[in-house]
Amino acid sequence: MNGSSEQDNVHDHSDPSHGAGLGFDTRAIHYAFDSAAFSRAVQPPVFLTSTYGFESVVANDAAAAQGGRLYAREYNPTTEILEQRLANLEGAEAGLVVSTGMAAFGTLILSLLSQGDELVVHKTLYSNTVAMVEHGLPRFGIKVVPVDLSEPSNLDAAITNRTKLVYFETPVNPLSAILDIAAIVERAHAHGVKVAVDSTFASPALQRPLEHGADIVLHSLTKYINGHGDTLGGALLGDAETLHTLHETGLRYITGATLSPHSAFLILRGLKTLSLRMERHSASALTIAQMLDEHPAVSWVSYPFLESHPDHVIARKQMAQGSGMLAFGLHAGFDGARTMLDHLKLLTRAVSLGDTDSLIYHPASITRARQTIRKDAHMVSGVGEDLVRLSVGLEDVNDLIADLRQALQVL
Ligand code: PLP
């Protein structure tokens, strides 16, 4: 299921890229780590240093001329292993990791777009990305054009000669809707515009947008890739030239949003079990989606690998499995969602996703709470007041089902 192209049982330690050509899981564990260079430590060391000494001023001149490995905002050996490993797993030439998924989005947009440029986005996005495109980017003269990309031909009217990038998530947060990567890329490329895909909900174990023609992939590493809910991180993966720009402008002096080396270590550790975890997340989520689909208190369920999902054919084309994210609505609506959540005993009421622990939340309740401090806070396009988002964790699926059933029973 993990999309390994070539399976080779021999790990060639003479190969400088340490794992190239091996299966996905082998590369998730070994790629880009040369233990011989680190006293044969089996796990990568964490380099906690803010700066690097240089042999001589002349040596420093040479290092600076080559981009330099002078200072920890721009370079760290632990972080570099993570960047190379993630790039390899996505099928990208290069990678950049930063402090959060939002920092990755900021680095991407503020490095590649300037005043007067236009950004086309899908109409539904993660709520903080929505806040940035609605409130942040227009302040800097970047025009954002929201479009319904479930119909890729809508791009034709949205793209102008100022459009620099098309950006969307698939699966879409929090709806678990699916957008057709290849179809959107075909339209965008016909107009000479690059495409960036936020693939956070799927992870490279289940979906690799570059294989469908996308130019750049964004991940919140906070979610499935780290997988244990104990650190934040973000990544951008793509061609070497673009990634050089993102590193040299975005990370070096625009956002400066460096990932801590300790977080890089934790994320490398999480990555080792990524496809095992995604298999269990996906299997349990499908079982729970089927249960909810038949439950009399539930009015609708959105899970990409359910036959009833409107985009399940596209999902099966571009994803190996359905992942652990699903959304559902209750006949009892807004109040019913609140009542049900408060009756859960095992599932954790929390935002975020992709952790070992099942996390469930009700976006409309959060929006209502936010409105008390920000009057203009509003629901993201396409998200109803009844929507409950569930990130299915790695607990025993029967325990999760029992908890959901007893909470639904009170409605
Ligand atoms: N993209 C998606 C799809 C997300 O769900 C999130 C966070 O929930 C982000 C980006 C932002 O990531 P972070 O929380 O690491 O900043």
Side-chain angles (χ1 to χ4, degrees), residues 173-305:
N173 186 3
L175 303 171
S176 287
I178 299 294
L179 297 174
D180 188 333
I181 302 170
I184 295 168
V185 164
E186 198 186 324
R187 293 270 174 175
H189 283 182
H191 294 275
V193 176
K194 287 191 173 185
V195 175
V197 180
D198 180 337
S199 191
T200 298
F201 266 36
S203 92
L206 302 185
Q207 169 179 284
R208 289 178 292 279
L210 301 183
E211 291 175 2
H212 303 280
D215 302 286
I216 300 163
V217 175
L218 181 146
H219 283 289
S220 166
L221 302 175
T222 315
K223 317 301 181 193
Y224 286 110
I225 290 179
N226 177 56
H228 294 74
D230 49 13
T231 193
L232 304 174
L236 293 161
L237 298 315
D239 66 276
E241 196 185 329
T242 306
L243 266 292
H244 181 74
T245 305
L246 298 173
H247 186 272
E248 292 304 304
T249 58
L251 185 64
R252 198 177 287 268
Y253 59 75
I254 293 181
T255 66
T258 305
L259 183 73
S260 111
H262 188 251
S263 294
F265 173 85
L266 287 174
I267 296 163
L268 278 165
R269 186 170 69 169
L271 197 50
K272 290 184 185 223
T273 55
L274 178 65
S275 75
L276 265 177
R277 288 186 284 106
M278 293 315 291
E279 260 179 60
R280 172 69 88 88
H281 284 299
S282 301
S284 296
L286 180 60
T287 307
I288 289 173
Q290 284 161 343
M291 181 281 282
L292 292 172
D293 211 20
E294 285 162 15
H295 198 286
V298 175
S299 52
W300 59 270
V301 182
S302 174
Y303 182 70
F305 269 42

Side-chain angles (χ1 to χ4, degrees), residues 173-174 176 201 222-224 226-232 281 285 288 292 324-328 340-341 344 346-363 387-395 400 403-404:
N173 186 3
S176 287
F201 266 36
T222 315
K223 317 301 181 193
Y224 286 110
N226 177 56
H228 294 74
D230 49 13
T231 193
L232 304 174
H281 284 299
I288 289 173
L292 292 172
M325 298 304 301
L326 58 90
F328 60 96
M340 184 228 150
L341 255 71
L344 290 165
L346 174 63
L347 278 76
T348 304
R349 289 172 288 276
V351 297
S352 202
L353 61 110
D355 293 356
T356 50
D357 307 35
S358 291
L359 306 176
I360 190 163
Y361 101 107
H362 179 219
L387 184 143
V388 175
R389 189 188 77 179
L390 171 56
S391 169
V392 177
L394 302 179
E395 301 94 338
L400 298 174
D403 195 32
L404 285 162

Side-chain angles (χ1 to χ4, degrees), residues 146-178:
V147 172
D148 182 358
L149 290 178
S150 64
E151 185 40 76
S153 63
N154 287 341
L155 270 180
D156 295 344
I159 290 179
T160 73
N161 58 8
R162 291 185 169 267
T163 309
K164 283 285 176 330
L165 192 68
V166 173
Y167 183 87
F168 63 92
E169 301 163 0
T170 188
V172 180
N173 186 3
L175 303 171
S176 287
I178 299 294

Side-chain angles (χ1 to χ4, degrees), residues 1-12 19-30 89 275:
M1 53 89 15
N2 56 35
S4 47
S5 44
E6 297 158 59
Q7 196 62 47
D8 183 345
N9 291 327
V10 185
H11 184 184
D12 179 3
L22 298 175
F24 184 97
D25 291 346
T26 310
R27 287 177 284 129
I29 295 170
H30 295 290
L89 295 175
S275 75

